[in-house]
Amino acid sequence: MDFKNKVIWITGASSGIGKSLAIALSKMDCKLILSARRTTELENVKTLCKQPNLVYVLPLDLAEIDDMPTLTNIAVTAFGQVDILINNGGISQRSPIIDTSIEVDRKLMEIDYLGTVALSKALLPHFIANQSGHYVVVSSLMGKFSSSYRSAYCGAKHALHGFFDALRLEHDKDNVKVTMICPGFVNTNVARNALTADGTKQGYQDNMTENGLDVEVFVKRMIKAIKKEKFEAYIGKFEKFGVYVKRLSPKLLHKLVLRSKVR
């Protein structure tokens, strides 16, 4: 796939992976639509892009699923079409199941799963009409296997795989592609912003995230996977091998994850 002249819509574009992805893609002669809740931060990212005149800022809150059809119409109108939707927006969680409020579980599902699904479904008729389109979904290795203290996050990410695997099957005939990107530990603020048992932010970085892949290294690998139109891409350090260990022996992976004492 060549990104030249493509219109790429990125959610969660105000920081972290989304911000680095926008800056990297802006060097590839494509048009960008940047979405997140924080308009000021989106405008800042726009100024960092190679050609700001080819960047459209569209504020979006994934929790407001009823807004998705309207926002999709605005996005399509911005440059006349959308070729690729990169579903990158979302939040994480760090807390024991026994202590975690059901409202935290609900919030993770509403934002990480339902918000992404609602936006993707709103754009689907456009992809079908064009007989072309590509969904890129930033899931997680936690969408393939689980770890302690991330129960709500794992549940939402697992759900994304179920939905988008079905979408890929149903709309293969419409030339609609789906790439699931599964990051391991990436050095962003995801841990600091993760929700705790009562819904407040964790507020600090953990060692595994701090020592994770540099975000720019991650983005280079992610772009490579999108270009190849991979079904799934596992991007991380040693932790990515958990996917393959689980296929061999779920019990062995269970023991290895317990031993790692990941928090």
Side-chain angles (χ1 to χ4, degrees):
M1 175 189 292
D2 185 357
F3 292 140
K4 187 173 182 178
N5 296 323
K6 290 287 194 296
V7 179
I8 304 176
W9 188 2
I10 307 171
T11 67
S14 61
S15 62
I17 291 171
K19 176 181 178 179
S20 294
L21 188 61
I23 294 168
L25 287 172
S26 73
K27 300 171 185 175
M28 299 181 184
D29 297 323
C30 56
K31 299 170 185 176
L32 299 175
I33 301 168
L34 306 183
S35 290
R37 289 179 300 163
R38 299 176 296 172
T39 305
T40 302
E41 293 302 316
L42 289 173
E43 292 289 352
N44 178 57
V45 175
K46 178 178 178 176
T47 65
L48 298 174
C49 290
K50 182 182 177 183
Q51 299 182 75
N53 59 305
L54 297 181
V55 177
Y56 186 89
V57 168
L58 179 58
L60 176 153
D61 186 342
L62 285 171
E64 302 296 333
I65 61 175
D66 292 338
D67 293 344
M68 299 312 172
T70 299
L71 292 170
T72 296
N73 288 334
I74 295 170
V76 169
T77 302
F79 295 112
Q81 65 184 59
V82 173
D83 298 295
I84 302 172
L85 171 61
I86 300 181
N87 285 303
N88 171 68
I91 53 176
S92 191
Q93 168 248 344
R94 300 286 190 280
S95 55
I97 293 170
I98 191 68
D99 299 329
T100 302
S101 164
I102 193 66
E103 292 307 316
V104 171
D105 295 276
R106 187 193 305 276
K107 188 167 186 177
L108 265 290
M109 288 300 294
E110 287 178 347
I111 294 174
D112 288 4
Y113 176 69
L114 287 176
T116 294
V117 167
L119 180 58
S120 299
K121 290 181 75 169
L123 188 60
L124 185 57
H126 178 69
F127 281 174
I128 294 171
N130 289 344
Q131 285 293 286
S132 178
H134 193 165
Y135 292 106
V136 179
V137 185
V138 180
S139 173
S140 170
L141 291 179
M142 297 294 97
K144 301 299 291 183
F145 62 90
S146 295
S147 177
S148 302
Y149 310 109
R150 294 163 173 81
S151 56
Y153 181 71
C154 292
K157 294 299 186 180
H158 273 70
L160 285 174
H161 283 263
F163 176 85
F164 281 97
D165 282 353
L167 188 152
R168 187 192 290 115
L169 285 166
E170 289 186 24
H171 293 284
D172 180 81
K173 65 183 185 297
D174 299 309
N175 197 33
V176 174
K177 313 291 185 184
V178 175
T179 296
M180 304 297 293
I181 301 292
C182 303
F185 296 107
V186 181
N187 192 358
T188 67
N189 285 325
V190 65
R192 291 189 180 93
N193 294 326
L195 301 187
T196 57
D198 62 359
T200 57
K201 292 183 179 181
Q202 177 171 264
Y204 62 87
Q205 188 74 299
D206 57 57
N207 289 334
M208 299 298 286
T209 305
E210 185 76 36
N211 295 317
L213 279 181
D214 179 83
V215 67
E216 292 182 359
V217 172
F218 172 84
V219 162
K220 285 180 182 178
R221 296 181 187 177
M222 177 177 174
I223 290 173
K224 186 176 180 180
I226 297 169
K227 282 186 173 181
K228 290 184 175 181
E229 298 181 352
K230 287 192 171 184
F231 275 25
E232 292 188 350
Y234 315 125
I235 306 174
K237 294 184 178 180
F238 68 90
E239 67 274 10
K240 68 182 180 182
F241 295 107
V243 177
Y244 306 104
V245 174
K246 185 176 182 181
R247 291 176 189 170
L248 176 69
S249 172
K251 185 174 286 188
L252 174 60
L253 179 65
H254 173 84
K255 292 178 180 178
L256 291 173
V257 174
L258 280 177
R259 197 175 300 164
S260 70
K261 298 181 180 179
V262 173
R263 282 301 302 263

